Every structure is written in C-alpha cells, then in structure tokens.
Amino acid sequence: MEKIAVFPGSFDPFTIGHAEICRRAADLFGRVVVLVSQNSEKKTLFSAEERLEIARAACRADARLSVALCEGTVADAACALGAACVVRGLRDSADFAAEARFCGAMRELGAPEVVLLQVHREYADVSSTFVRELFYYGRDYRPYLPEAAHESVRRLLQQKQK
Ligand code: ADP
C-alpha cells in the first residue's frame, strides 16, 4: 500500500541532493510531501514563499512528490497528513549528530518514525550553504540545482539584485 513520507527542511534553496532523497523516498513509500519550514531560527536567503516556489518547480515533473509550507511543528504537519514517516538525509558525522537530536525531538513531539537515508557519494558535498556561496561569488550554481528549478532561481536572484 502506498504510504506518505514527509521530508522537512529549510531548502534554501532546494538542491539536487534534496531531489535525490525525494526520489529514493518516493521509491520506498509511494508519496513524498516536501515540507518547507517557515519558522526557522535560521535567517534564510529566500523567503518561505520563494523556497516553496523553487521546490515546487524542482518536484513538478514527478507526480509522487508535492510541496507544502510547514505550518506548526513537523510532527503536527506529519500527523495531519497521515504520514507514515519523516525522511531526512545523512551526509556525514555532523549531519548524524544533528539528525540524532532531530529524531529525539520528533519522538518527544509524537511524530511518526524518522527514517534517515544515507546520501549517495556523488551528492555528499552538495549543500544549500555551498550553493548560496556560489550565488554570492557569482559562480555557476546550476550543476547543483535541479534543472527544472533553474529559471525560478535565476529570476528570484535577479529580483534580489535590483
Ligand atoms: P535543515 O535546515 O532542516 O537542515 P536543509 O534544507 O539544509 O534543512 O536539509 C534538509 C534535509 O536534507 C536534511 O535532512 C539534510 O541532511 C538533507 N540534505 C541536505 N543536503 C543534502 C544532500 N546533498 N543530499 C541529501 N540530503 C541532503
């Protein structure tokens, strides 16, 4: 039976690494809802609406994927969607420590099971932080973003430069 997995994060912006996790989670569970955080302690380059637009463009071609703003806690959003699990990606030991804390918090808040997917080697060095640095230095960021999101990102960055 098809299950729903939620994939929460800040996605500032959504990268090819995020896309790879979405694809693998969809293969495992059937449906994936990308939950874009709006709260975040983190100061983001793109607003929640902009991050939503980029993630939507990136996911549009795969009918198994959808994108929503995360209202309230991830645990509440996951339960409201009837999700079977919360998916996260693991790149390295720093991610492992952060994700272990995340799992604890999710359990505390009554979220469904957290499933951590080990990132394939070719995506391990991709991060939203790295992509933002490429923006900053005017370097080519396109190899790290899903092609379907290039146009949205180009336009949103151009608007910021005005
Ligand atoms: P957060 O602020 O919640 O960490 P991110 O957008 O940075 O949000 O990451 C969301 C999730 O995607 C996290 O589980 C993170 O480990 C995972 N992730 C980030 N980069 C990659 C990548 N290159 N490959 C796979 N997963 C990744």
Side-chain angles (χ1 to χ4, degrees):
M1 201 183 85
E2 190 179 78
K3 290 189 169 153
I4 299 175
V6 294
F7 180 32
S10 25
F11 305 111
D12 186 36
F14 192 95
T15 68
I16 53 169
H18 296 132
E20 171 70 356
I21 295 293
C22 282
R23 188 191 59 72
R24 289 167 57 197
D27 288 348
L28 282 172
F29 301 105
R31 276 189 59 200
V32 176
V33 181
V34 175
L35 286 179
V36 176
S37 65
Q38 52 180 350
N39 63 325
S40 194
E41 301 253 281
K42 285 188 187 174
K43 183 159 165 32
T44 56
L45 171 66
F46 294 107
S47 70
E49 287 303 326
E50 291 169 341
R51 286 178 282 131
L52 202 64
E53 177 189 330
I54 295 166
R56 283 207 171 117
C59 294
R60 190 164 295 136
D62 189 337
R64 302 172 303 170
L65 312 181
S66 56
V67 181
L69 212 52
C70 185
E71 320 233 22
T73 67
V74 169
D76 288 346
C79 292
L81 288 163
C85 68
V86 177
V87 170
R88 298 275 290 178
L90 267 187
R91 282 165 297 187
D92 52 21
S93 55
D95 269 359
F96 185 81
E99 298 303 338
R101 283 193 299 276
F102 177 80
C103 288
M106 287 300 102
R107 196 176 162 83
E108 214 36 56
L109 292 169
E113 201 70 67
V114 177
V115 175
L116 301 176
L117 294 180
Q118 179 69 45
V119 169
H120 290 163
R121 205 172 296 137
E122 60 267 41
Y123 299 96
D125 295 331
V126 180
S127 69
S128 298
T129 307
F130 176 59
V131 170
R132 291 195 305 274
E133 271 188 27
L134 295 174
F135 294 157
Y136 184 79
Y137 291 109
R139 304 291 291 267
D140 187 11
Y141 55 82
R142 290 170 300 180
Y144 306 100
L145 299 184
E147 209 175 326
H150 287 184
E151 180 48 30
S152 290
V153 170
R154 190 197 58 75
R155 182 174 35 76
L156 292 169
L157 284 174
Q158 204 172 38
Q159 281 171 10
K160 288 185 192 302
Q161 279 160 2
K162 280 183 186 158

